Amino acid sequence: MAHRDLRAAPELFLAVLRHFAALLRSEAELAKGELKEKASRAGTGLACLAAAAILALAGLHVISAALVAWLTAAGLPPGLAALIVGGALFAGALCLLLAAKSRLSSKALLPSRTIRNVQKDAASIKEAANARY
């Protein structure tokens, strides 16, 4: 087994530290960028949620009254007309709510690219350490 010259160890150690610090900085920048992207996506989900609430309120107060009156004039009992109109409006609000939920889920907000890169970096470091010794 060949012995290595230990005089170069401090320089090698400093080089490793510099590379490790650069790696941490680049991963932090990647995570920061990805979290900004995910926050933007969450903003879109919150906008969908707000739109669902506005649709539900406006639909219940304005359109529902007009549709109930129209269905009643068409021959349906007022209670059944109100039930049909309310159900249709809430179905539309539910669709928007589900779209918002998918954009706000923990999986959608997880910085998955950063996690994959950190896992790859860790594997590379382990591989390099095993190859040298």
Side-chain angles (χ1 to χ4, degrees), residues 22-115:
L23 176 66
L24 287 179
R25 276 193 299 277
S26 68
E27 292 298 344
E29 287 298 318
L30 177 64
K32 189 168 126 180
E34 191 171 1
L35 287 174
K36 281 183 184 178
E37 179 184 324
K38 299 292 181 174
S40 173
R41 188 172 171 87
T44 304
L46 289 173
C48 286
L49 187 62
I54 290 169
L55 277 179
L57 287 175
L60 285 174
H61 291 101
V62 178
I63 298 172
S64 63
L67 289 174
V68 168
W70 180 71
L71 288 173
T72 302
L76 287 176
L80 181 59
L83 186 63
I84 291 171
V85 171
L89 292 173
F90 278 120
L94 181 63
C95 289
L96 286 173
L97 183 65
L98 292 175
K101 182 183 174 192
S102 71
R103 290 189 176 266
L104 295 173
S105 72
S106 60
K107 184 178 180 182
L109 297 174
L110 193 67
S112 54
R113 288 187 313 231
T114 301
I115 291 170

